[in-house]
C-alpha cells in the first residue's frame, strides 16, 4: 500500500483527483500568468506609455499612405482590410473583426507588417534614435544608420517622387529590403522601440491624450492581474477543501477497516501484533497518512505543473539565462536525492520507536498499583527513559536534517536571484532584454525553485507516510483464521438444547512444538454442571475457549448438540454460549448498559433478574443512581468482587443455552459464592454449565 494507491482508492478516488488536477491547472495558469503581466506593466505600461506594439488603434490617412509605400501589395491589402475611415473623415480606425480572426492573431499579423515601414518612417522623422538601444550598446550604430538612415532617406521627398512618378515601387521596395535587414540586426527590442515612438507621434498628431492611454493600459492590466490573483486564491482554497475532505474520508475508512479487521482477530492473530502497536497504527500512522494525502494533493500535484510551466516560460523569454535555472534545478535534485537516501531508514525506525514508547507507557499505566507496591518507580522511569531517548535521538536526526534543508534551499534561491540580477542587468544594458522581462525571469525561476522546494518537502513527508501505510497494510492483510464457512455450508437450527461435547480434541498454539491439549473427550449435559479441574497452566481456560471459537481445535472437534462448532455461524454459536472470563472487563457507561452488553433488547426486569442471580442487586441498589450509576473504562471504579458479579450478570442476561465460568468466582467471599451457586441452580436449570 502506498500514498498514491490510497489517493486513488474508493469510488470517489479517481474523480476527486481529476477535479483537483483541473483546479490546480487553473491555479497554475493564474500564477504563471502574473509575472508576464508584471513585465508588461513595466515594459509597456511604464517604458512605452501603454503602447504595446506597432499597431495603432487609429492613424491619419496620409501617414498610412506613407507607410504603405514601403509595403508589398499583399500587405497593403491586409492593412486596408482592417483599417477603415472613421465617419468618412481622414482618420483610419482599426477594426480587427473584419475577417473573424482572433484579436491576438490580427495584431500579430499587422505588427509584422508595420515594423519595417515604421522603422523607415521613424528614422526619417528623427524618432528612431530616441527609441533605439542605449548608446554604446550593440545595435546602436545600426539604429542610427542601418543602411536606411535619416541622412540617406528623405521620406517626404520619396513620397512626393512616388506620387509624381519619379520614384518607382521597385525603388521603394529596395529601401524596404534594407529596412528588413536592419530589423534583423537590431532585434525586437530596438525595432519595437522605433515602432512605439512612431505610434506615439501619430497619436500626438491626432490629439490623443497619451497620459490617458498609459493610464487605461495600467488599469486594465492591473484589473486582469487582480482577477488572476483572485482566481488563484479561490483555486487554492477549493483544492485545500477538497483535499482535506478526501484525506479525512480515507482516514475514516482506514480506521473503520482496521477496527473491523482487528475485531475479527482470533488469539492467533492478536499474538502477531502487540496492543500498543495496533493502537499506534490505528491513530498515529493513519494521522501521518492523512497529513501526507492533504500535502500530496495540495503540493505534489501542483509542484510538477508549476515547475514545468516555469521552465517553459523561462525558455519563452529568450533571455539567454536559462543556464542559471538549469544549474538551480540540478542542485535541488541532488538535495532531494540526499533526503530520499538518508531519511527513509530513519522514518521506518521512528514508527517502531513510537510503538515501543506506547508499549512501555501502556504497561506502566496498567500496572501502576503493582509498580507502587514493589517500589519500582525508578526502574520504570529508566525503562521509559531509554525508549524515550531512542525516539528523541531519531526525531532530532530527522528534525536537524529538515532544519538544514530549508536554509540550503533558501540559499540556492537567493543565489539564483542574485545571478539573474547580475547577468540580467548586463543583458539589459546591452539591449538584449527589457527590465520587465528580467523581472519575469526572476519570478519564473523562483517558481521553479519553489516547486522543487515543495517536492523536497514532500520527500520528507511521503517516506514516513509510506512507512505508516505499509504498517497499516500489514494489519489489513491479516485475515482471521476463525471465520464463517460459506452460507450454504452452515448449519442453522431454530432450537438448541446446548449439549457441549469434546471429541478427541487436541490443540497446539501457533509455532509451538507440542500440543497443549491432546486426545480429550467428554460431554457436558444440559441441566448439569461440569467442573474442569487441573493445575495452573494445565490448559483449562484454553479448553473452554474452544467452545465459542476463541481458538480453533487443531485436532478432533467440539460440538453443540452434535454439530461441529466450525459448521455454525459465529453469531449463532456465540449467541448460544455465555462466557464469564477469568478477568472480568467492564466498559465505560453505566451498570445497566454493561449488563445489556450481550443483549441490547433486554428489559429492565430481565436486567434486574440477571443482577439478582449474580448477587449484584444488593450493591447496585445501594448506589444513589442505581442501575444508572457510571462505570469507568475497565470497571476501575468498582471492586474486584463487584466487577466479577457484573460480568456474571452480563452473561446471564444473554439467556444462553450454555454457560462457561472460567474461574469466575475467585473474587467472591464464601457466602456470596454459595448464594450465587444456589441461584444459578434454581434459575438456570436446563442449561449446560461448565
Amino acid at each position: 500500500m502506498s500514498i498514491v494507491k490510497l489517493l486513488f482508492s474508493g469510488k470517489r478516488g479517481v474523480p476527486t483527483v481529476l477535479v483537483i488536477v483541473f483546479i490546480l491547472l487553473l491555479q497554475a495558469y493564474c500564477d504563471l500568468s502574473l509575472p508576464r503581466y508584471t513585465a508588461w506593466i513595466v515594459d509597456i505600461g511604464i517604458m512605452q506609455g501603454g503602447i504595446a506594439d506597432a499597431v495603432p488603434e487609429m492613424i491619419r490617412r496620409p501617414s498610412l499612405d506613407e507607410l504603405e509605400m514601403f509595403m508589398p501589395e499583399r500587405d497593403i491589402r491586409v492593412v486596408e482590410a482592417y483599417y477603415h475611415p472613421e465617419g468618412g473623415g481622414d482618420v483610419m480606425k482599426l477594426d480587427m473583426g473584419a475577417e473573424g480572426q482572433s484579436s491576438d492573431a490580427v495584431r500579430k499579423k499587422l505588427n509584422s507588417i508595420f515594423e519595417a515601414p515604421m522603422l523607415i518612417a521613424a528614422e526619417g522623422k528623427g524618432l528612431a534614435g530616441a527609441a533605439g538601444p542605449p548608446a554604446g550598446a550593440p545595435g546602436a550604430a545600426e539604429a542610427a544608420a542601418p543602411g536606411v538612415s535619416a541622412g540617406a532617406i528623405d521620406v517626404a521627398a520619396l513620397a512626393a517622387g512616388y506620387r509624381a512618378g519619379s520614384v518607382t515601387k521597385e525603388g521603394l521596395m529596395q529601401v524596404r529590403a534594407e529596412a528588413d535587414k536592419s530589423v534583423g540586426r537590431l532585434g525586437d527590442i530596438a525595432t519595437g522601440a522605433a515602432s512605439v515612438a512612431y505610434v506615439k507621434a501619430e497619436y500626438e498628431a491626432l490629439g490623443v491624450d497619451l497620459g490617458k492611454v498609459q493610464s487605461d493600459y495600467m488599469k486594465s492590466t492591473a484589473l486582469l492581474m487582480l482577477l488572476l490573483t483572485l482566481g488563484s486564491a479561490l483555486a487554492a482554497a477549493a483544492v485545500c477543501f477538497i483535499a482535506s475532505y478526501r484525506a479525512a474520508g480515507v482516514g475514516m475508512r482506514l480506521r473503520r477497516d482496521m477496527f473491523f479487521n482487528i475485531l475479527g482477530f482470533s488469539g492467533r492473530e492478536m499474538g502477531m501484533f502487540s496492543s500498543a502497536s495496533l493502537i499506534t497504527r490505528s491513530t498515529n500512522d493513519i494521522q501521518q497518512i492523512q497529513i501526507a494525502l492533504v500535502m500530496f494533493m495540495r503540493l505534489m500535484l501542483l509542484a510538477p505543473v508549476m515547475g514545468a510551466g516555469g521552465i517553459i516560460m523561462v525558455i519563452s523569454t529568450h533571455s539567454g539565462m536559462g543556464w542559471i535555472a538549469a544549474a538551480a534545478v540540478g542542485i535541488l535534485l541532488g538535495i532531494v536525492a540526499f533526503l530520499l537516501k538518508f531519511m527513509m531508514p530513519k522514518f521506518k525506525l521512528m514508527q517502531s520507536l513510537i510503538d515501543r514508547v506506547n508499549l512501555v507507557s501502556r504497561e506502566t499505566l496498567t500496572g501502576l498499583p503493582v509498580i507502587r507496591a514493589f517500589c519500582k518507580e525508578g526502574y520504570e522511569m529508566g525503562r521509559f527513559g531509554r525508549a524515550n531517548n531512542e525516539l528523541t535521538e531519531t526525531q532530532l536526526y530527522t528534525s536537524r536534517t529538515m532544519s538544514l534543508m530549508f536554509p540550503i534551499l533558501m540559499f540556492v534561491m537567493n543565489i539564483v536571484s542574485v545571478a539573474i540580477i547580475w547577468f540580467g542587468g548586463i543583458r539589459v544594458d546591452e539591449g538584449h532584454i527589457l527590465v520587465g522581462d528580467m523581472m519575469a525571469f526572476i519570478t519564473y525561476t523562483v517558481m521553479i525553485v519553489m516547486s522543487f522546494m515543495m517536492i523536497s518537502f514532500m520527500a520528507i513527508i511521503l517516506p514516513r507516510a509510506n512507512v505508516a501505510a505499509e504498517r497499516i497494510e500489514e494489519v489489513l492483510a491479516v485475515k482471521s483464521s476463525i471465520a464463517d464457512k460459506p452460507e450454504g455450508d452452515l448449519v442453522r437450527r431454530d432450537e438448541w438444547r446446548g449439549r457441549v461435547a469434546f471429541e478427541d480434541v487436541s490443540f497446539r498454539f501457533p509455532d509451538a512444538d507440542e500440543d497443549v491439549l491432546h486426545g480429550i473427550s467428554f460431554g457436558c449435559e444440559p441441566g448439569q454442571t461440569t467442573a474442569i479441574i487441573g493445575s495452573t497452566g494445565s490448559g483449562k481456560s484454553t479448553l473452554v475457549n474452544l467452545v465459542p471459537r476463541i481458538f480453533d481445535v487443531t485436532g478432533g472437534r467440539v460440538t453443540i448438540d452434535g454439530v461441529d462448532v466450525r459448521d455454525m455461524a459465529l453469531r449463532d454459536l456465540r449467541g448460544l454460549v455465555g462466557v464469564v472470563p477469568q478477568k472480568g472487563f467492564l466498559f465505560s457507561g453505566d451498570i445497566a448498559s454493561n449488563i445489556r452488553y450481550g443483549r441490547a433488547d433486554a428489559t429492565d426486569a430481565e436486567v434486574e433478574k440477571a443482577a439478582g442471580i449474580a448477587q449484584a442487586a444488593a450493591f447496585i441498589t445501594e448506589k444513589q443512581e442505581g442501575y444508572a450509576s457510571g462505570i469507568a473504562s475497565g470497571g476501575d471504579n468498582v471492586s474486584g468482587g463487584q466487577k466479577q458479579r457484573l460480568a456474571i450478570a452480563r452473561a446471564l442476561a444473554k439467556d444462553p443455552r450454555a454457560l462457561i465460568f472460567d474461574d469466575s468466582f475467585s473474587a467472591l467471599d464464601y457466602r456470596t459464592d454459595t448464594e450465587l451457586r444456589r441461584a444459578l441452580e434454581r434459575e438456570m436449570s436446563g442449561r449446560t454449565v461448565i
Side-chain angles (χ1 to χ4, degrees), residues 321-625:
M321 295 187 294
W323 62 271
I324 299 176
V329 168
I331 295 172
L332 293 170
L333 285 174
I335 295 174
V336 173
F338 169 82
L339 289 173
L340 291 175
K341 181 177 180 181
F342 290 97
M343 297 291 283
M344 178 74 82
K346 292 296 182 181
F347 285 130
K348 289 183 178 179
L349 178 61
M350 190 183 299
Q351 297 304 112
S352 300
L353 293 176
I354 292 174
D355 282 351
R356 178 64 181 168
V357 170
N358 286 341
L359 175 63
V360 174
S361 300
R362 188 170 181 272
E363 286 183 346
T364 301
L365 294 175
T366 304
L368 200 56
V370 178
I371 293 170
R372 289 171 177 168
F374 287 87
C375 299
K376 298 296 289 185
E377 292 90 345
Y379 172 78
E380 292 299 328
M381 287 179 63
R383 194 161 70 104
F384 179 82
R386 287 189 294 273
N388 191 31
N389 288 338
E390 289 181 16
L391 177 60
T392 302
E393 289 174 3
T394 305
Q395 288 178 330
L396 281 174
Y397 177 88
T398 56
S399 298
R400 286 167 181 163
T401 306
M402 291 168 59
S403 301
L404 182 64
M405 180 196 69
F406 286 106
I408 291 175
L409 292 175
M410 292 303 297
F411 178 76
V412 171
M413 187 170 67
N414 291 330
I415 288 295
V416 168
S417 298
V418 170
I420 292 171
I421 293 172
W422 178 271
F423 293 101
I426 294 174
R427 294 189 67 79
V428 168
D429 185 59
E430 292 175 348
H432 295 303
I433 60 173
L434 296 172
V435 174
D437 291 333
M438 186 184 72
M439 293 173 60
F441 188 90
I442 293 174
T443 306
Y444 286 129
T445 305
V446 169
M447 283 184 176
I448 296 171
V449 175
M450 290 299 294
S451 298
F452 277 89
M453 286 183 68
M454 288 190 283
I455 294 173
S456 301
F457 183 68
M458 291 306 301
I460 295 172
I461 294 178
L462 285 180
R464 187 173 182 182
N466 279 326
V467 170
E470 290 171 3
R471 284 159 51 86
I472 291 171
E473 177 66 14
E474 288 176 0
V475 178
L476 294 177
V478 175
K479 301 303 177 185
S480 178
S481 57
I482 297 177
D484 286 338
K485 289 183 176 181
E487 181 64 29
D489 297 333
L490 293 176
V491 176
R492 297 187 183 274
R493 292 181 183 176
D494 294 331
E495 296 292 336
W496 296 86
R497 293 179 61 242
R499 182 184 187 277
V500 177
F502 293 80
E503 301 176 3
D504 195 27
V505 167
S506 298
F507 176 77
R508 178 180 300 187
F509 284 106
D511 301 325
D513 295 329
E514 57 184 21
D515 292 342
V516 176
L517 305 172
H518 183 75
I520 297 176
S521 299
F522 66 94
C524 306
E525 300 295 334
Q528 295 182 0
T529 297
T530 302
I532 302 172
I533 301 172
S535 60
T536 301
S538 60
K540 302 184 298 296
S541 297
T542 302
L543 181 65
V544 295
N545 280 333
L546 298 175
V547 179
R549 295 188 69 191
I550 305 301
F551 299 104
D552 264 345
V553 298
T554 54
R557 66 178 192 154
V558 179
T559 65
I560 295 182
D561 293 348
V563 178
D564 193 322
V565 293
R566 291 170 293 187
D567 294 332
M568 300 171 64
L570 285 171
R571 180 174 290 274
D572 293 344
L573 169 64
R574 291 167 181 172
L576 291 173
V577 181
V579 180
V580 184
Q582 282 181 333
K583 184 179 180 181
F585 184 88
L586 301 181
F587 297 89
S588 57
D590 56 31
I591 291 175
S593 66
N594 271 277
I595 296 176
R596 284 194 177 97
Y597 191 77
R599 184 181 163 204
D601 59 349
T603 64
D604 290 343
E606 289 171 331
V607 169
E608 292 173 6
K609 179 181 177 182
I613 297 172
Q615 306 304 303
F619 81 82
I620 294 174
T621 54
E622 289 175 0
K623 293 182 176 290
Q624 185 175 356
E625 298 180 16

Side-chain angles (χ1 to χ4, degrees), residues 639-657:
S639 69
Q642 291 172 341
K643 187 187 301 185
Q644 217 167 49
R645 281 177 278 175
L646 288 176
I648 293 170
R650 178 172 60 197
L652 298 176
K654 283 180 63 177
D655 192 24
R657 300 310 305 166

Side-chain angles (χ1 to χ4, degrees), residues 64 201 239 246 317 400 409 472 544 548 605 666:
L64 186 59
V239 169
R246 173 63 180 163
T317 59
R400 286 167 181 163
L409 292 175
I472 291 171
V544 295
S666 58

